[in-house]
Amino acid sequence: MSEKATNDKQLTPEEHEELLKKYDAESNTRKLTGYSAKVVFILLLSFSLFQLYTGIFGQFTAYIQRTVHLGFALTAIFLLFPAIKGRVKNRVAWYDYILILLTIIVCSYWPLNYDSLVQQIGRISTEQLVIGSIAILLVLEAARRAVGIPITIIAVVFLAYGYFGPYMPGMLAHRGLNLHQLVQSMFFTTEGILGTPLQVSSTFIFLFLLFGAFLVQTGVGNYFNDLAISIAGRRIGGPAKVAIFSSALQGTISGSSVANTVTTGSYTIPLMKRLGYHKNFAGAVEAAASTGGQIMPPIMGAAAFLMIEFAGVPYWDIAKAAVIPAILYFSGIWIMTHFEAKKLGLLGLPKEEIPPKKEVLKKIHLLLPIVVIVVLLFQGMSIERTALYGILSAILVSLIRKDTRITPSKILFALTSGARTALGVAAATACAGLIVGIVTKTGLGLKLGNGLVGIASSITSTPSLLLFLTLFFTMITSIILGIGSPTTANYIITSTIALPAIIALNGQLEVAIPVLAAHMFVFYFGIVADITPPVALAAFAATGISKGDPIRTGVNASKLAIAAFIIPYMFVFQPQLLLIDTTFLEVSWTLFTAIIGMISIGAGLIGFWYRKINWIERIVTILAGLLLIYPESYTDTIGLITFIVLLAFQLLHVRRNKMNTSEVKDVSL
């Protein structure tokens, strides 16, 4: 077999699993057998049943709900995740049983002593100091295993900052928290581990992850691929467009850029390479599209539910605000893959590789559960109830066809796989709670925010330029903080540390920045860390399939996802892009000019439109696109005129070439 054929083959299930374990910390689990496997099965099943019970009949009090949720998660993590990555065995290490025992003691402390703890005022006892200290260490270790080292390091640094406050330099100095105060605030209040992030994990997020697990059992993942192929497969550069379409759909049920990349990429990347895309470009398309799945409403990698609590904005406003940015993001990738395919002369897939439309339409009912949750959320139903009805609708809809039917065994598998998916989220939110707690107790967020604004103010005092520089510094901070973190933890960290800079700026601007726009800004840039070199986990995972160069793949992915680097600035300057205080006509015009702008930017970045364009034309084309995306009447006018002139030159050139070709044919005759 030739090297090309070898490189273009699809991944085997074993290769798929190994790739996930290499780049996705949440997939690096033991393969337990025998008694241990049965214990894990019962534990995960009990975890899901507990969450379903509280979702149906009502939650316990905050401390009990969250500690029980945390107890289930930590126990399962120490059973499933090895202490050292790569050392995956089929048995649990002896020291993990000690950690599990400590988890049971710590997480049962609140339920067993609830009445006395809520009435307790003042200094915690020595016993509670030990319990709380162990809880902090357990959470840090669980996060290290199930989420990754970056978030653990950040949490440790923040804990150290809380303790050594008096010794910090300049504006970072604070009174400091002694050991008793630190432990008390981190475990015996709702400001630390048991804070808002874990609260959202123990209610909204878990149930929606469970909904996703049930949806997967209907075969919707394969259906997304078939639907994408039937719609986009025959188009120019078909496989790349299939990857974009499929990854956008997968984003509704996947909470991980890396998992999305490996799942859809194992099919689409070999197809793209076989068609003629370069391996670095093929991997980049999948990485960029899969990362975009995290900003795709209605679920947005579960961050939408955290945003409800952090931004204080209703869910529907968040989902609605994410629509136009998501359209522009995926339109940008679609446009650039189209121009790349035209430049290379690539066509679509052969007709025989396209699934018959009749067969695809027969399974269109699999999308109904997603429609159900969107409609229910739009009607204002509570998020917990919406998730429960989503699960029920997935089960009922699956019964329509025999090959999509969810059997009792599939129900059990969905319950356990949903709980397994939630482990990383629970560990991430508990660990992020430590960061949020320190920021709250020390006022660090405001200090960092004022610091970034101060740096920008030292450069300029012009309000618009001051805003741009502050946003730029916040962008860099968000990308750095987002490295290696899953979507939920990513948003918690960036909204806690980077967001205050934008909020602190409001007092110096004539028009305040909407809270939702500020939250969406840091959320976007935290997410694009997955494709931004040098640490671009989604791009690195894609190269495991494409066999390309990780850095070049990351650079290409960043270029394809250029909308994610531009749009956040635009919706801060002009919140109409988030459907804030606008009308239907304004939205329609804004969307139209923005998409035209993405066509212009895409042509400039790829270097091809109807023909190859030189560097001067590329720069002018990109500038025209930027003017069109910025939602102001004067920029739209200048950008549109420039775009029309550039397009006219392109079409004239094409017409001239056709005429020359015709003349050559006439002469030859």
Side-chain angles (χ1 to χ4, degrees):
M1 185 180 292
S2 68
E3 182 182 353
K4 184 180 187 329
T6 302
N7 289 343
D8 288 354
K9 70 178 182 179
Q10 293 184 25
L11 296 182
T12 64
E14 293 76 16
E15 290 171 333
H16 182 278
E17 185 177 342
E18 283 302 313
L19 195 58
L20 274 176
K21 286 181 177 180
K22 184 176 180 180
Y23 294 107
D24 185 16
E26 295 180 29
S27 301
N28 190 45
T29 56
R30 296 180 172 115
K31 288 185 176 181
L32 299 176
T33 57
Y35 177 76
S36 298
K38 293 177 182 177
V39 170
V40 170
F41 174 82
I42 294 171
L43 179 67
L44 294 175
L45 181 62
S46 301
F47 194 6
S48 287
L49 293 176
F50 166 76
Q51 295 292 158
L52 284 172
Y53 176 85
T54 57
I56 296 170
F57 299 106
Q59 301 168 25
F60 294 102
T61 57
Y63 289 110
I64 295 177
Q65 177 79 18
R66 298 172 200 181
T67 50
V68 172
H69 176 83
L70 183 64
F72 272 118
L74 295 186
T75 302
I77 287 170
F78 293 132
L79 282 170
L80 285 169
F81 291 82
I84 301 175
K85 185 178 180 180
R87 192 174 292 179
V88 181
K89 297 181 178 180
N90 58 359
R91 61 184 180 83
V92 181
W94 63 268
Y95 48 81
D96 285 328
Y97 287 113
I98 297 175
L99 295 177
I100 290 168
L101 178 61
L102 290 173
T103 297
I104 294 170
I105 293 171
V106 165
C107 292
S108 63
Y109 194 82
W110 261 107
L112 294 176
N113 301 279
Y114 178 77
D115 291 334
S116 61
L117 286 172
V118 294
Q119 295 174 14
Q120 180 175 295
I121 300 175
R123 189 181 178 89
I124 59 174
S125 66
T126 302
E127 176 186 286
Q128 292 165 354
L129 176 65
V130 173
I131 291 290
S133 300
I134 294 173
I136 293 171
L137 293 174
L138 289 172
V139 166
L140 290 172
E141 173 61 9
R144 185 190 69 81
R145 294 189 187 193
V147 185
I149 196 69
I151 188 175
T152 312
I153 292 174
I154 294 173
V156 170
V157 169
F158 272 70
L159 287 171
Y161 173 76
Y163 185 78
F164 293 106
Y167 308 101
M168 292 291 112
M171 69 173 187
L172 294 177
H174 62 92
R175 293 177 58 186
L177 302 169
N178 62 40
L179 191 58
H180 280 78
Q181 292 172 327
L182 190 65
V183 171
Q184 181 182 26
S185 58
M186 292 301 105
F187 190 67
F188 292 98
T189 70
T190 53
E191 293 179 341
I193 292 172
L194 306 180
T196 299
L198 191 65
Q199 177 253 319
V200 178
S201 172
S202 66
T203 52
F204 311 153
I205 294 178
F206 190 99
L207 292 176
F208 266 92
L209 292 175
L210 207 54
F211 163 70
F214 273 89
L215 207 56
V216 167
Q217 291 307 304
T218 67
V220 75
N222 291 330
Y223 180 69
F224 283 157
N225 282 338
D226 291 341
L227 181 63
I229 293 171
S230 66
I231 292 174
R234 292 280 289 164
R235 299 179 183 274
I236 293 174
K241 294 173 180 176
V242 169
I244 297 165
F245 200 95
S246 179
S247 295
L249 292 173
Q250 290 283 359
T252 61
I253 59 174
S254 172
S256 167
S257 302
V258 173
N260 200 353
T261 299
V262 175
T263 300
T264 57
S266 60
Y267 174 75
T268 60
I269 291 175
L271 271 182
M272 284 187 269
K273 289 177 64 182
R274 193 185 72 191
L275 187 70
Y277 281 108
H278 190 275
K279 57 187 177 182
N280 292 331
F281 191 87
V285 171
E286 184 56 56
S290 294
T291 299
Q294 305 307 295
I295 61 173
M296 184 73 178
I299 297 177
M300 297 165 63
F305 308 122
L306 285 163
M307 211 173 288
I308 295 170
E309 301 295 328
F310 279 62
V313 178
Y315 170 82
W316 188 248
D317 287 351
I318 296 168
K320 182 178 67 174
V323 170
I324 290 181
I327 290 173
L328 294 177
Y329 181 91
F330 285 105
S331 296
I333 303 174
W334 184 287
I335 289 163
M336 279 187 267
T337 56
H338 178 78
F339 287 144
E340 180 74 12
K342 287 183 67 176
K343 184 172 73 173
L344 298 175
L346 306 180
L347 301 176
L349 291 171
K351 186 176 181 180
E352 56 271 17
E353 293 188 26
I354 307 297
K357 289 186 177 179
K358 288 184 179 180
E359 291 299 317
V360 174
L361 290 175
K362 283 181 182 179
K363 294 184 180 181
I364 195 73
H365 63 281
L366 293 178
L367 300 180
L368 286 176
I370 298 174
V371 176
V372 167
I373 65 169
V374 172
V375 170
L376 292 179
L377 287 169
F378 177 72
Q379 291 179 342
M381 181 173 286
S382 71
I383 297 174
E384 294 97 326
R385 288 289 167 185
T386 298
L388 291 170
Y389 281 118
I391 293 170
L392 180 61
S393 66
I395 295 173
L396 294 176
V397 161
S398 75
L399 301 178
I400 294 175
R401 285 175 58 91
K402 185 177 181 180
D403 57 342
T404 64
R405 194 167 298 160
I406 297 181
T407 60
S409 62
K410 287 185 176 181
I411 290 176
L412 289 176
F413 186 84
L415 290 170
T416 54
S417 64
R420 184 184 288 248
T421 304
L423 299 181
V425 176
T429 51
C431 190
L434 295 171
I435 299 168
V436 175
I438 293 297
V439 170
T440 302
K441 296 294 289 186
T442 63
L444 179 62
L446 184 59
K447 293 176 182 178
L448 291 175
N450 288 332
L452 289 178
V453 173
I455 295 172
S457 299
S458 66
I459 300 173
T460 181
S461 59
T462 306
S464 58
L465 188 55
L466 176 64
L467 173 57
F468 176 80
L469 286 175
T470 303
L471 292 176
F472 179 77
F473 295 144
T474 306
M475 174 192 76
I476 300 300
T477 304
S478 298
I479 291 175
I480 293 172
L481 291 172
I483 291 173
S485 296
T487 302
T488 47
N490 194 320
Y491 168 66
I492 295 168
I493 295 170
T494 54
S495 63
T496 302
I497 301 172
L499 176 71
I502 303 176
I503 302 300
L505 196 61
N506 272 340
Q508 303 182 40
L509 302 174
E510 294 180 4
V511 180
I513 301 168
V515 172
L516 182 55
H519 279 266
M520 290 287 283
F521 184 90
V522 297
F523 172 59
Y524 259 63
F525 283 115
I527 293 299
V528 298
D530 281 343
I531 52 171
T532 307
V535 184
L537 289 183
F540 277 57
T543 59
I545 304 171
S546 69
K547 310 304 179 187
D549 178 81
I551 299 300
R552 291 182 180 178
T553 300
V555 170
N556 281 331
S558 298
K559 182 171 71 173
L560 289 168
I562 190 65
F565 293 90
I566 298 172
I567 300 301
Y569 286 92
M570 301 309 177
F571 59 56
V572 169
F573 280 99
Q574 293 292 337
Q576 291 96 319
L577 281 173
L578 298 180
L579 304 181
I580 297 174
D581 297 330
T582 188
T583 64
F584 176 76
L585 288 176
E586 289 175 339
V587 169
S588 300
W589 178 252
T590 298
L591 183 59
F592 169 73
T593 55
I595 290 178
I596 296 297
M598 288 310 306
I599 292 173
S600 192
I601 290 173
L605 288 174
I606 296 299
F608 189 91
W609 200 341
Y610 286 93
R611 62 172 174 82
K612 188 176 181 180
I613 54 180
N614 60 41
W615 279 103
I616 295 176
E617 290 176 300
R618 292 176 74 170
I619 292 171
V620 174
T621 305
I622 291 171
L623 289 175
L626 292 172
L627 289 170
L628 282 162
I629 290 175
Y630 190 79
E632 281 283 2
S633 56
Y634 72 92
T635 57
D636 287 345
T637 302
I638 298 171
L640 199 55
I641 291 172
T642 308
F643 178 86
I644 291 171
V645 171
L646 290 167
L647 179 61
F649 275 115
Q650 290 283 317
L651 294 176
L652 283 172
H653 179 83
V654 171
R655 184 179 179 185
R656 191 180 302 117
N657 280 347
K658 285 183 178 179
M659 291 176 64
N660 291 337
T661 303
S662 299
E663 290 175 2
V664 170
K665 287 182 178 178
D666 290 341
V667 170
S668 64
L669 289 172

